[in-house]
Amino acid sequence: MATSAESTPNLVTVADQPEGKRSSYKKLGARHKARRRAVDLLFEAEARDIDPADLLAEREQLVGDDAVAPVNPYTRTLVEGVADDLDRVDGSIESYLQDWTLERLPAVDRAILRVAVWELFHAAEVPPVVAVDEAVELAKELSTDDSPSFVNGVLGQVVQVAPQVRAAAAATRATPHPDGEA
């Protein structure tokens, strides 16, 4: 009896892949896909010089069209989060760039770093190691050969201050406003 691999001659398994390329063939989860779409949307918004939230709304209006997939809720969270906190996210990235400016980075690397830094600062349910690993994987998929190690280096420094940023944000949310609102 023929196995499914024998009956499908073009089927390639992970074990058949060259050792150096196996990570790119691993099964991608919903969160990874959501992060990748967030990077795509942030990249496109920057290229078109429009607000990422406006681009997100534009995409959501096109969902009825067969050519546009629905926007994952986590993609929406990431894009809206980065857009709302862009100045702090960019300032944090820029403070860890050595001999570079944010504008000199490839646009895709900026988008990847923005998503990862936002997750490190605001997504308490995402372990820091996961945010960094996902960013490195996206850099491998979408950017230059040097980008994964560059992204890892920048995020390795951001990870060290992320707990303090999260704590400060939590304290700010917990501090009552003078008008009585929390």
Side-chain angles (χ1 to χ4, degrees), residues 13-33:
T13 65
V14 171
D16 296 329
Q17 301 305 320
E19 188 67 34
K21 293 290 185 179
R22 286 188 184 173
S23 69
S24 65
Y25 291 94
K26 70 181 180 181
K27 184 179 180 211
L28 302 178
R31 282 270 174 118
H32 178 83
K33 292 173 185 174

Side-chain angles (χ1 to χ4, degrees), residues 9 43 52 55 100 102 127 142-143 149 151 166:
F43 177 87
L55 179 61
W100 282 85
L102 196 59
L142 302 172
S143 196
S149 61
V151 165
R166 283 185 185 180

Side-chain angles (χ1 to χ4, degrees), residues 77-100:
T77 298
L78 291 170
V79 171
E80 290 174 348
V82 169
D84 290 344
D85 202 23
L86 188 60
D87 291 339
R88 181 171 22 173
V89 168
D90 282 356
S92 297
I93 295 167
E94 197 146 37
S95 69
Y96 294 107
L97 299 178
Q98 297 176 349
D99 302 323
W100 282 85

Side-chain angles (χ1 to χ4, degrees), residues 40-150:
D40 290 344
L41 289 167
L42 291 168
F43 177 87
E44 182 180 347
E46 184 176 349
R48 292 176 53 193
D49 195 26
I50 63 173
D51 184 84
D54 292 341
L55 179 61
L56 186 62
E58 183 182 300
R59 285 296 181 278
E60 289 175 335
Q61 288 177 346
L62 296 173
V63 167
D65 186 0
D66 290 338
V68 179
V71 176
N72 180 301
Y74 195 63
T75 297
R76 179 182 300 103
T77 298
L78 291 170
V79 171
E80 290 174 348
V82 169
D84 290 344
D85 202 23
L86 188 60
D87 291 339
R88 181 171 22 173
V89 168
D90 282 356
S92 297
I93 295 167
E94 197 146 37
S95 69
Y96 294 107
L97 299 178
Q98 297 176 349
D99 302 323
W100 282 85
T101 62
L102 196 59
E103 296 76 30
R104 281 187 60 205
L105 293 181
V108 69
D109 289 359
R110 275 194 302 274
I112 292 167
L113 286 168
R114 286 171 173 159
V115 166
V117 168
W118 186 88
E119 279 192 304
L120 288 169
F121 288 173
H122 299 285
E125 75 281 3
V126 177
V129 68
V130 171
V132 173
D133 184 56
E134 287 287 327
V136 170
E137 284 298 317
L138 288 168
K140 287 177 185 177
E141 292 172 27
L142 302 172
S143 196
T144 68
D145 290 343
D146 294 332
S147 290
S149 61
F150 178 79

